[in-house]
Amino acid sequence: MMRSASVSRRTAETDVSVSIALDGTGKAEISTGVGFLDHMLELFARHGLFDLTVKVTGDLHVDQHHTTEDTGIALGQAILEALGDKKGITRYADIHMPMDETLTRIALDISGRPFLVFNTTFPTEKIGVFDTELVREFFQAFAVNAGLTLHVETLYGVNSHHIAESCFKGLARTLRRAVAVDPREEGRVPSTKGTL
């Protein structure tokens, strides 16, 4: 069974459409109007092996905040929907993700109890024209709407692009492992409560 979902979210600030297939091959069609965010989402799809389509029209004449945050919201909602009843998933995963001089640790639990710990700082305020503070905004919106307990900590790094990339690649690889079906959990939710 292909685990997939599509979400549309329209506000006065943005119009976001996201489609994801969790059991994909890493194909990405991304158009947010924010070049750096497009790059990060392409990495996310490729390294997670998710087939991902994202189309966003946003109030970029204001800034990139609403577009970035609302993309995180819709992507989180799509992943939550694609997971369905969560039967058979691995649930937990973690990774140390290197990117040249940078090393970031990501740990997550598909818990249904959204929480973000984001211990990552950037040495610059911008990557090109992208505000580095928006990386955290994306992760916050994503974790809350996907129902994840998500910990992100950059242990060291000096290049803002590399730091952001290690966060997004680490999220992709960790989520890929957490959503994977464990054949020993066949037909069961991985929780003593019986639900997530």
Side-chain angles (χ1 to χ4, degrees), residues 125-138:
E125 291 183 0
K126 290 191 177 288
I127 302 168
V129 298
F130 185 81
D131 294 328
T132 52
E133 69 182 7
L134 296 180
V135 175
R136 187 190 190 288
E137 293 299 322
F138 177 90

Side-chain angles (χ1 to χ4, degrees), residues 48-102:
L49 292 180
F50 307 128
D51 291 343
L52 180 63
T53 301
V54 178
K55 297 194 184 322
V56 185
T57 304
D59 58 354
L60 296 177
H61 63 285
V62 176
D63 64 10
Q64 299 176 346
H65 186 282
H66 299 139
T67 295
T68 302
E69 182 179 33
D70 289 2
T71 300
I73 290 170
L75 180 57
Q77 290 172 344
I79 286 174
L80 181 62
E81 185 179 327
L83 282 168
D85 61 14
K86 303 183 184 91
K87 287 183 178 175
I89 65 168
T90 301
R91 181 178 169 179
Y92 300 98
D94 66 297
I95 196 168
H96 284 79
M97 178 57 68
M99 177 67 197
D100 296 347
E101 86 297 342
T102 297

